[in-house]
């Protein structure tokens, strides 16, 4: 399956996908896309000789229009948002209906929405006093974190003393869940694009 991965930060989820599929030809990452040309995830793209494209923040609408053509020409079947912070244009979303998935570091629909990313999510979970958190993979629509949920994995955070400890526990789960869901999509166990 032909994939693209969208990133904004350190890229550990991108790395988990590369590591998981390292020894087989089930997926091919055709392009890495970022809205942050200085992000660490681009080092991973370079190390793995994967082409990348940076969306210009001032002209993001144009960037998304360009990407629609590029990804269609490359026959990309699945778009994975792995720590990508920018909201996609509605035109982009409607061109790839049910073909864009996102990983969110909490159990949606709780702790989602605008501004709920990175450590903000884990701070909110910590303040809530919840004893369980986890990771969610969902389809992407025009708003933050509201698309249909595909998979969730829970983790016990009752012993966590800080939001950072929760983040570390959830990240371990993310690195298992995201490649597994992609693998299930490739195997047809999860249906996309309909
Ligand atoms: C992850 O926690 C992901 O769920 C969230 O942002 C973080 C990105 O981490 N959306 P990384 O860039 O994959 O290391």
């Amino acid at each position: 399956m032909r994939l693209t991965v969208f990133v904004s930060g350190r890229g550990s989820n991108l790395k988990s996908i590369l590591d998981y599929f390292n020894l087989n030809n089930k997926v091919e990452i055709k392009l890495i896309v970022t809205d942050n040309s200085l992000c660490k995830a681009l080092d991973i793209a370079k190390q793995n000789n994967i082409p990348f494209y940076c969306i210009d923040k001032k002209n993001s609408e144009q960037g998304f229009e360009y990407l629609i053509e590029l990804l269609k020409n490359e026959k990309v079947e699945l778009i994975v948002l792995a720590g990508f912070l920018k909201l996609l244009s509605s035109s982009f979303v409607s061109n790839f209906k049910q073909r864009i998935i996102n990983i969110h570091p909490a159990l949606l629909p709780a702790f989602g929405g605008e501004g709920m990313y990175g450590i903000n999510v884990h701070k909110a979970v910590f303040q809530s006093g919840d004893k369980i958190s986890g990771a969610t993979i969902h389809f992407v629509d025009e708003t933050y974190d509201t698309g249909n949920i595909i998979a969730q994995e829970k983790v016990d955070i009752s012993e966590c003393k800080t939001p950072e400890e929760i983040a570390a526990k959830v990240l371990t789960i993310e690195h298992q869940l995201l490649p597994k869901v992609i693998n299930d999509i490739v195997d047809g166990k999860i249906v996309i694009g309909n």
Side-chain angles (χ1 to χ4, degrees), residues 7-14 41 81-85 102-105 117-118 122 170-171 174-175:
V7 291
S8 298
R10 115 201 98 173
S12 68
N13 278 290
L14 166 64
L81 310 189
F84 184 66
L85 298 182
N102 179 50
I103 182 155
H104 185 79
Y117 60 87
H122 306 296
V170 171
L171 194 63
E174 291 183 55
H175 293 162

Side-chain angles (χ1 to χ4, degrees), residues 175-190:
H175 293 162
Q176 295 161 7
L177 186 63
L178 184 57
K180 184 181 168 298
V181 165
I182 295 171
N183 193 58
D184 283 351
I185 289 171
V186 176
D187 288 347
K189 291 180 189 161
I190 297 170

Side-chain angles (χ1 to χ4, degrees), residues 1-5 12-30 48 50 78 80 101 137 174-190:
M1 181 171 276
R2 297 157 82 87
L3 253 70
T4 178
V5 183
S12 68
N13 278 290
L14 166 64
K15 189 168 180 308
S16 77
I17 300 168
L18 287 164
D19 290 347
Y20 186 93
F21 292 104
N22 188 23
L23 296 175
N24 64 47
N25 297 319
K26 280 176 108 171
V27 310
E28 193 184 350
I29 300 182
K30 302 300 295 179
N48 288 275
I50 304 170
L78 178 66
V80 180
I101 65 170
I137 315 273
E174 291 183 55
H175 293 162
Q176 295 161 7
L177 186 63
L178 184 57
K180 184 181 168 298
V181 165
I182 295 171
N183 193 58
D184 283 351
I185 289 171
V186 176
D187 288 347
K189 291 180 189 161
I190 297 170

Side-chain angles (χ1 to χ4, degrees), residues 107 125 129-135 153-162 165-173:
L107 296 172
V125 172
D130 283 2
K131 302 291 176 226
I132 303 279
S133 190
E153 189 78 41
K154 292 179 181 161
V155 64
D156 179 355
I157 54 163
S158 57
E159 304 292 314
C160 292
K161 302 273 184 292
T162 62
E165 282 182 34
I166 299 175
K169 275 205 137 180
V170 171
L171 194 63
T172 308
I173 298 294

